[in-house]
Amino acid sequence: MTSPASRSWHPARLVTIGYGGAVVAGTLLLLLPASRTQGSGPDILVAAFTTVSAVCVTGLITVDTASYWTPFGQSVILALIHVGGLGVMALATLLTIAVRGHLGLRTRLVAQAETHTSAVGDVRRVLLQMVLVLLSVEAVLTGVLALRFHQHYGHSWGSSWWLAFFHAGSAFNNAGFSLFSDNLVGLATDPVVILPICAAIVLGGLGFPVLRELAMRCRRRPGARRPRLSLHSTMTLWGTVVLLVLGIACFWAFEGGGVLASRPVGDQALGAIAGSVFPRTAGFNSVDYGAVGEETKLVTILLMFVGGGSAGTAGGIKITTLMVLVFAVLAEVRGRSDVTVGPRRLPAVVLCQALAVSALAAALVLGSTLLLTALTGLPVIDVSFEVVSAFATVGLSTGITAGLPPTAQLVLMVLMFVGRVGTITVAAALAMRATPPKFHYPKERPVVG
């Protein structure tokens, strides 16, 4: 039987405590005078909201990042983004490796809960690979953006490198923070900026397990048989492609005569690509979402709610969760008792997890939308857009976040925290039961539908 003391150190609870500690530390750093520009007094709500948004790699803001925060404050935000992207527990594990040279069992379990690795013995190697992938992608993107900012936009080399480094970290970690006051609206027609950022967002959103499998397939020896992708990677890749294509088609169809109407066809296509990628869940915006149609807002809400791949930097309920539910519905419609994906059968526990994640997320979003609508009196579509953006750690906004009352901003902070740490992790951390039930009740089947 597990003791109460050991239950308090369960990995799910430690992950939650770790993120909470990062929020406290980041808030204190952003309250320092060195973090704010002259004329900006200390505001604990602004500092706390920005910290939660950065640690939870969301991107929702109540003040202009470029003008309110000094370079030191912006550096703190970027550091918090990386902490949230890699995971507090993953970073703690890396520090343990550096100091001790090995991992204890408890540390491995905590890191496994954060990185979603399948085997405890793989944690050290996966963590090192995570850092290598992050540094590699951000280095390439930084070089591309720095060259563009200097040559095409006339920024000094120092300014170009800082802008490029900040946006590269924000993009790969799916954070959506920008050092431009209009986010990426002023760069919306520049494919050299938009497309590399979109590529980094997709890579970060696929998840480290998928990227590792793809790398292993590319590194196979000549003549060797190409390793088969796992079901998780297959579902994530196919789901990503389908959602990206549908997002592009819907955004272009709804906004081709709207916010994209004044642009040439090539720029419209670029805007549609950005409009499909950014909600998954980066939070950059190349159009004013306060000016888009309600159809576009609804499509964007759905894309934000789904999010990206598991064990990546994206939020939402995750692509695999949606795919599992889709295949479960197809199996039920076909009258099959087993849920199969190709030649593989999904275990019942996966179906229960997918249903639990979706149900908890839907309940949280609906409840928060009702609460914020009552607090603000704003249109439901705008409130739900903001709520889903916070929960799915996206960061897109119709422009109402800064004007929300403090109580409504606190609700968004809770949503961002829960969305990043995970509904299941938070629930397990608050009400955890380590012992299996000692008996089972008799079965009885109710009528459904």
Side-chain angles (χ1 to χ4, degrees):
M1 184 174 179
T2 307
S3 65
S6 64
R7 292 184 191 181
S8 64
W9 293 105
H10 189 282
R13 185 163 289 163
L14 282 177
V15 169
T16 306
I17 294 173
Y19 274 100
V23 168
V24 173
T27 301
L28 294 177
L29 287 173
L30 290 182
L31 283 173
L32 295 175
S35 297
R36 304 182 307 277
T37 56
Q38 292 184 356
S40 302
D43 189 325
I44 189 171
L45 181 58
V46 170
F49 191 96
T50 304
T51 298
V52 172
S53 184
V55 170
C56 299
V57 290
T58 304
L60 283 176
I61 55 174
T62 56
V63 294
D64 180 25
T65 306
S67 60
Y68 187 90
W69 305 109
T70 64
F72 174 77
Q74 295 167 5
S75 299
V76 171
I77 293 172
L78 184 60
L80 293 173
I81 288 171
H82 283 90
V83 168
L86 274 176
V88 173
M89 293 303 122
L91 289 176
T93 302
L94 289 175
L95 291 176
T96 303
I97 294 174
V99 174
R100 298 181 181 176
H102 68 280
L103 296 178
L105 178 59
R106 176 176 294 170
T107 308
R108 288 174 182 265
L109 289 172
V110 172
Q112 185 184 16
E114 178 60 33
T115 60
H116 298 273
T117 51
S118 57
V120 175
D122 291 338
V123 169
R124 175 172 176 162
R125 183 171 67 256
V126 170
L127 288 176
L128 295 176
Q129 291 173 349
M130 286 170 59
V131 176
L132 179 61
V133 169
L134 180 142
L135 293 177
S136 300
V137 175
E138 290 190 11
V140 172
L141 183 56
T142 297
V144 172
L145 294 181
L147 191 62
R148 188 64 170 176
F149 289 150
H150 177 69
Q151 292 185 344
H152 191 73
Y153 294 98
H155 293 285
S156 66
W157 274 116
S159 176
S160 297
W161 281 110
W162 172 238
L163 288 171
F165 181 60
F166 188 95
H167 287 87
S170 185
F172 184 73
N173 289 284
N174 279 217
F177 280 87
S178 176
L179 294 184
F180 299 110
S181 296
D182 61 354
N183 207 277
L184 299 184
V185 174
L187 308 171
T189 59
D190 188 349
V192 181
V193 173
I194 297 298
L195 292 181
I197 287 179
C198 287
I201 291 168
V202 173
L203 288 175
L206 286 176
F208 293 104
V210 177
L211 295 178
R212 183 175 58 164
E213 286 194 41
L214 292 176
M216 290 173 62
R217 284 171 63 88
C218 295
R219 290 200 310 263
R220 80 185 195 282
R221 292 175 297 178
R225 184 178 180 181
R226 178 171 296 184
R228 176 181 173 274
L229 285 177
S230 67
L231 181 60
H232 167 76
S233 295
T234 302
M235 294 173 69
T236 300
L237 291 171
W238 275 109
T240 298
V241 171
V242 171
L243 289 177
L244 285 178
V245 171
L246 288 177
I248 292 171
C250 290
F251 195 93
W252 202 344
F254 294 139
E255 295 304 325
V259 295
L260 301 179
S262 60
R263 303 182 187 179
V265 175
D267 291 342
Q268 287 188 13
L270 186 62
I273 292 172
S276 178
V277 173
F278 291 165
R280 313 273 323 288
T281 56
F284 290 113
N285 64 286
S286 58
V287 299
D288 179 11
Y289 276 88
V292 300
E294 293 194 355
E295 302 89 349
T296 303
K297 291 179 182 178
L298 181 58
V299 170
T300 304
I301 287 173
L302 295 176
L303 291 175
M304 292 192 297
F305 186 76
V306 175
S310 299
T313 54
I317 64 172
K318 303 299 191 300
I319 294 173
T320 45
T321 302
L322 174 65
M323 296 289 283
V324 167
L325 295 177
V326 169
F327 281 105
V329 171
L330 292 176
E332 185 65 27
V333 170
R334 295 172 180 173
R336 296 177 179 176
S337 58
D338 290 337
V339 179
T340 58
V341 182
R344 293 290 184 268
R345 177 171 57 89
L346 298 181
V349 65
V350 172
L351 302 178
C352 292
Q353 289 174 348
L355 183 61
V357 168
S358 303
L360 284 173
L364 189 60
V365 166
L366 290 174
S368 300
T369 300
L370 178 62
L371 177 59
L372 261 65
T373 302
L375 289 173
T376 64
L378 294 170
V380 174
I381 186 67
D382 290 338
V383 172
S384 59
F385 191 99
E386 223 76 8
V387 166
V388 175
S389 179
F391 168 75
T393 67
V394 180
L396 289 178
S397 174
T398 57
I400 66 173
T401 301
L404 293 176
T407 50
Q409 292 184 9
L410 288 174
V411 172
L412 292 182
M413 290 168 62
V414 173
L415 284 170
M416 288 188 285
F417 188 85
V418 174
R420 176 54 186 155
V421 179
T423 51
I424 294 296
T425 302
V426 170
L430 294 176
M432 194 162 16
R433 181 169 182 160
T435 56
K438 294 181 173 58
F439 60 90
H440 296 278
Y441 291 103
K443 289 182 179 181
E444 182 174 353
R445 183 171 181 174
V447 178
V448 177

